[in-house]
Amino acid sequence: MKKKLGVLLAVVWIAVWVWRGFADRVSPEVVFMSLQGERIRLGDLRGHPVLVSFWASDCRACVEEMPELAALHRDYAGRGFKLIAVAMRYDLPNHVVELSRAARLPYGVALDPLGEIAAAFGGVELVPNHFLLDPQGRVALHKLGRMAAGELCPLIEPMLGEN
């Protein structure tokens, strides 16, 4: 029992530490280069809720969540929601392109070959890793692990009214 309580307290402490470390922080000023060659400056997306999702083509959870993220994008893109998936620096560009095409991802996919974007978001190393930014560019949610659209909808809906 003591061991379970200790593990639970450690998990709660880590969750609070992660939340305090990212919640209400202003997002870094980064520029994404999409697979289509589009240059996207994060600061230009202010006024919109934005999900920055770090992933890798060899990450099973990342691939499994793609249909939900695609549906989330389709549901909210017309109302101002933006989604940018950032492939990790170790991911081979041809794998990223092939998977993005095969999955028919409707949202922007960017490469991060030098790891600069991951570093700007606090040194992202593990995936999937998500940052939901509010319209003012503050980190409203940081989640390491698979994201379910149902977790995001209640957070995104009120932000759409701020556009």
Side-chain angles (χ1 to χ4, degrees):
M1 183 69 172
K2 285 184 179 182
K3 186 176 181 178
K4 287 182 182 179
L5 182 59
V7 169
L8 178 62
L9 288 174
V11 168
V12 168
W13 182 84
I14 290 169
V16 168
W17 179 77
V18 168
W19 178 79
R20 288 182 57 166
F22 290 102
D24 290 329
R25 283 187 146 175
V26 175
S27 62
E29 187 52 51
V30 295
V31 177
F32 305 93
M33 186 60 74
S34 76
L35 294 181
Q36 294 74 30
E38 180 184 10
R39 186 180 149 106
I40 304 165
R41 195 172 145 275
L42 191 55
D44 291 344
L45 300 180
R46 294 271 165 87
H48 302 277
V50 178
L51 180 65
V52 178
S53 178
F54 291 89
W55 68 288
S57 62
D58 63 350
C59 165
R60 182 177 175 177
C62 299
V63 173
E64 289 174 350
E65 74 181 0
M66 283 179 175
E68 279 194 72
L69 293 178
L72 187 74
H73 178 267
R74 282 191 290 274
D75 289 347
Y76 291 118
R79 296 174 55 199
F81 174 70
K82 310 291 182 189
L83 195 160
I84 303 167
V86 181
M88 296 299 287
R89 74 182 183 294
Y90 54 79
D91 212 344
L92 298 174
N94 61 323
H95 290 177
V96 173
V97 170
E98 289 171 17
L99 183 57
S100 298
R101 283 186 185 148
R104 296 183 180 167
L105 299 179
Y107 46 83
V109 176
L111 298 174
D112 188 16
L114 301 177
E116 294 169 335
I117 299 169
F121 274 87
V124 172
E125 293 184 22
L126 303 173
V127 291
N129 209 325
H130 310 279
F131 295 84
L132 178 63
L133 310 177
D134 70 13
Q136 290 77 40
R138 294 182 307 245
V139 177
L141 173 74
H142 171 230
K143 179 172 182 188
L144 173 61
R146 187 172 175 185
M147 181 65 74
E151 294 175 70
L152 288 173
C153 293
L155 297 171
I156 294 171
E157 280 286 340
M159 291 181 194
L160 295 171
E162 295 180 32
N163 292 331

